[in-house]
Amino acid sequence: MSGHSKWANIKRKKGANDAIRGKVTTKIGREITVAVRMGGSDVTGNMRLKLALSKAKANNIPKENIQRAIQKGMGAADGSSYEELFYEGYGPAGSAVMIDILTDNRNRTAADIRHLFSKNGGNLGETGCVGWMFKKKAVFIVDRESYDKEEELMLLVLDAGADDFKAEDDSFEIIAAPEDFEAIAKVLEDNKIETVEAEVTMVPDTTVKIEGKDAIKMMNLIEALEEHDDVQNVYSNYDIDEEE
């Protein structure tokens, strides 16, 4: 499993029917609120909102929740005090971890995140300590069960501006520059090709192989961070064999 996409696939399957569902709904709602507050409620010209709404759709967030989050962003006091932070640190075996935060209490969140790192074999670092290892990319995941025409898909997305195309056992991964997100999303939609993931995320330049006890600690760290209420996204460069 690599850090930025396969973990998301596993989490999606793992969390489909458990307590993670409620946290996902809350976090996406918060992201929609902040996106509207920063760029308005019209998705035209507000890529952040468009991505948040796409994530809401992918996670089957009820329309009333989405509308409530948009209304908050348009003027209600709730949501106005959220502060956006970006934390960086090290996981087990020297792996790199980056975290998107939305919080109304910076001190509380910093203490919580530092504790989660320490508890799971890592440590919170200074700004910039691992950020240079990642590049912002648009990433799309297409499940083979819904679409399994590899060559056709590859040609479509490369023509639309994709930088890379990877065929996995059960899915296809499409990687592009953030500015090409809309063009690729449109060609997929026009050809009725569904995605299980479509987002602008942080992709590591290289990965770190992790095994044994370190692998267990790494997965525990990622899960603990993702379950924290103030954490929106977690990115890492770990590489763990599925057998682990």
Side-chain angles (χ1 to χ4, degrees):
M1 309 181 267
S2 61
H4 74 279
S5 63
K6 290 192 179 179
W7 169 248
N9 290 339
I10 289 168
K11 284 286 283 187
R12 181 166 42 251
K13 293 171 184 174
K14 172 181 177 294
N17 297 304
D18 64 19
I20 292 174
R21 169 61 51 192
K23 288 184 179 289
V24 168
T25 299
T26 300
K27 291 181 181 187
I28 293 175
R30 187 181 299 179
E31 176 63 23
I32 291 171
T33 296
V34 172
V36 170
R37 191 169 296 279
M38 293 178 66
S41 60
D42 187 352
V43 294
T44 304
N46 190 343
M47 175 59 73
R48 182 167 182 168
L49 177 58
K50 191 168 188 174
L51 290 170
L53 293 176
S54 175
K55 189 178 292 185
K57 181 180 178 181
N59 284 275
N60 299 313
I61 305 301
K63 288 183 179 179
E64 55 267 28
N65 293 59
I66 295 172
Q67 192 58 40
R68 193 179 305 122
I70 290 173
Q71 290 299 323
K72 286 181 182 179
M74 289 175 65
D78 191 4
S80 61
S81 62
Y82 286 134
E83 184 178 7
E84 196 167 17
L85 304 172
F86 210 63
Y87 289 169
E88 302 178 36
Y90 299 94
S95 55
V97 181
M98 300 180 71
I99 313 163
D100 281 331
I101 299 284
L102 282 177
T103 180
D104 57 2
N105 188 325
R106 174 194 284 252
N107 292 334
R108 178 202 66 214
T109 302
D112 287 351
I113 299 302
R114 186 174 289 108
H115 172 71
L116 292 177
F117 268 101
S118 299
K119 182 180 178 182
N120 293 286
N123 62 281
L124 188 62
E126 299 294 328
T127 300
C129 66
V130 300
W132 57 273
M133 302 181 192
F134 295 79
K135 297 289 187 298
K136 183 174 283 190
K137 295 286 185 179
V139 177
F140 301 82
I141 306 295
V142 175
D143 197 321
R144 282 183 182 269
E145 287 186 6
S146 64
Y147 192 90
D148 198 17
K149 300 176 182 178
E150 180 177 338
E151 187 172 350
E152 183 177 316
L153 178 59
M154 180 175 65
L155 291 174
L156 280 172
V157 298
L158 291 178
D159 284 346
D163 295 331
D164 198 7
F165 178 89
K166 299 177 182 178
E168 305 287 355
D169 290 341
D170 58 357
S171 64
F172 301 110
E173 182 180 63
I174 302 154
I175 299 176
E179 56 267 27
D180 291 321
F181 178 91
E182 287 193 73
I184 293 172
K186 185 177 187 306
V187 78
L188 292 174
E189 183 179 352
D190 288 348
N191 286 274
K192 296 180 172 54
I193 301 171
E194 295 184 5
T195 60
V196 293
E197 190 173 326
E199 62 181 343
V200 174
T201 185
M202 301 298 289
V203 177
D205 291 330
T206 59
T207 57
V208 175
K209 186 77 170 179
I210 304 180
E211 301 174 324
K213 292 182 179 179
D214 282 338
I216 295 172
K217 289 180 180 179
M218 187 73 223
M219 299 313 295
N220 287 340
L221 172 61
I222 296 295
E223 185 167 357
L225 289 171
E226 291 202 335
E227 289 184 353
H228 191 282
D229 289 342
D230 297 335
V231 173
Q232 294 297 107
N233 298 290
V234 181
Y235 314 106
S236 183
N237 67 343
Y238 66 82
D239 183 3
I240 300 174
D241 285 339
E242 292 190 29
E243 288 74 14
E244 292 280 355

